[in-house]
């Protein structure tokens, strides 16, 4: 792929990260920000927006680092495991799904009195979203793309989400994971189109 196409992917993913983080950020704390809009406090709104855009850029860069890391890991995996690479990825996906529920519950539920259901729900909703994106990727390419796409969307997204998982503060959890999932999906689905551009 030409360098100009890489730059295009980088810049458009930055934009996706900035927009998605801004929308999610205002939505998560709308009760706090609503008076600013009602009072038309332009300076305060712009300062919050600029902060969210900056955070979105960071999330986007984390997403892109994860994407390019996975492209490398995928090549190594194919070289080492060959036909067993897909089963290996499925095992890792199952392991990460279990860990996302079990270890988070063990680490945080006792202190906060949380229900196990809430931890299962978050892991399951993310997993369903990743399956949908993997199915779209499969329709765009071929059936062999499903497992790698699901692995990237789920496993890599959870790894990228780790800083917020350690904090385990609800607003930060959602503020980070939603843009990450959107950026990861964008890169996964748009890469073939950008890679094949000739101009």
């Amino acid at each position: 792929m030409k360098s100009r196409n890489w730059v295009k992917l980088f810049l458009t993913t930055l934009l996706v990260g900035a927009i998605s983080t801004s929308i999610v950020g205002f939505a998560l704390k709308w009760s706090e920000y609503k008076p600013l809009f009602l009072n038309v406090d332009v300076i305060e709104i712009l300062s919050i927006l600029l902060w969210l855009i900056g955070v979105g850029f960071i999330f986007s860069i984390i997403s892109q680092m994860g994407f390019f890391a996975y492209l490398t890991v995928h090549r190594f995996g194919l070289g080492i495991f060959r036909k067993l690479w897909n089963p290996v990825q499925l095992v890792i996906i199952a392991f990460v799904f279990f860990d996302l529920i079990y270890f988070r519950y063990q680490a945080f539920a006792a202190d906060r009195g949380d229900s196990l259901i809430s931890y299962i729900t978050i892991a399951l909703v993310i997993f369903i979203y990743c399956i949908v994106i993997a199915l779209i990727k499969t329709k765009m390419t071929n059936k062999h793309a499903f497992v790698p796409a699901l692995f990237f969307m789920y496993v890599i997204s959870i790894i990228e989400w780790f800083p917020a998982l350690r904090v385990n503060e609800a607003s930060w959890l959602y503020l980070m994971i939603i843009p990450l999932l959107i950026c990861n999906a964008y890169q996964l689905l748009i890469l073939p189109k950008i890679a094949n551009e000739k101009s």
Side-chain angles (χ1 to χ4, degrees):
M1 189 166 76
K2 295 180 179 179
S3 58
R4 71 180 67 179
N5 293 341
W6 282 119
V7 171
K8 182 176 180 180
L9 179 63
F10 174 76
L11 293 177
T12 54
T13 308
L14 273 182
L15 185 61
V16 169
I19 293 172
S20 59
T21 304
S22 298
I23 293 171
V24 172
F26 278 115
L28 286 174
K29 296 192 175 182
W30 179 244
S31 58
E32 294 180 26
Y33 298 147
K34 186 177 179 180
L36 299 177
F37 285 90
L38 293 176
N39 297 326
V40 195
D41 192 342
V42 177
I43 295 177
E44 189 68 23
I45 292 170
L46 286 177
S47 64
I48 295 169
L49 179 60
L50 287 174
W51 182 82
L52 288 171
I53 288 172
V55 172
F57 285 160
I58 294 171
F59 292 162
S60 171
I61 291 170
I62 292 171
S63 169
Q64 293 184 65
M65 289 171 61
F67 184 56
F68 293 122
Y70 174 68
L71 292 177
T72 304
V73 169
H74 183 62
R75 286 298 168 193
F76 278 115
L78 286 172
I80 295 170
F81 296 103
R82 300 183 185 278
K83 292 182 178 180
L84 292 176
W85 179 227
N86 275 358
V88 168
Q89 289 182 98
L90 289 172
V91 170
I92 297 172
I93 290 168
F95 182 75
V96 170
F97 183 84
F98 174 79
D99 283 355
L100 184 59
I101 298 169
Y102 179 76
F103 286 116
R104 284 190 66 233
Y105 181 76
Q106 290 295 317
F108 301 111
D111 296 334
R112 298 170 50 165
D114 294 337
S115 167
L116 178 61
I117 299 298
S118 63
Y119 291 85
I120 294 174
T121 302
I122 291 175
L124 193 58
V125 168
I126 295 172
F127 187 66
I128 291 170
Y129 172 84
C130 294
I131 287 177
V132 171
I133 298 301
L135 287 172
I136 294 172
K137 178 68 173 180
T138 302
K139 288 184 178 181
M140 292 174 62
T141 53
N142 57 66
K143 63 181 181 179
H144 302 294
F146 179 78
V147 174
L150 181 59
F151 183 92
F152 167 68
M153 284 301 303
Y154 197 73
V155 175
I156 303 301
S157 294
I158 300 305
I159 293 172
E160 294 167 349
W161 195 28
F162 189 71
L165 287 174
R166 292 184 63 185
V167 176
N168 200 46
E169 201 278 317
S171 61
W172 270 107
L173 285 173
Y174 296 122
L175 181 66
M176 188 171 192
I177 191 58
I178 295 173
L180 282 176
L181 289 172
I182 293 172
C183 287
N184 285 344
Y186 172 78
Q187 291 178 97
L188 185 68
L189 300 178
I190 204 69
L191 180 62
K193 181 180 178 181
I194 292 181
N196 293 327
E197 287 183 356
K198 296 181 180 179
S199 58

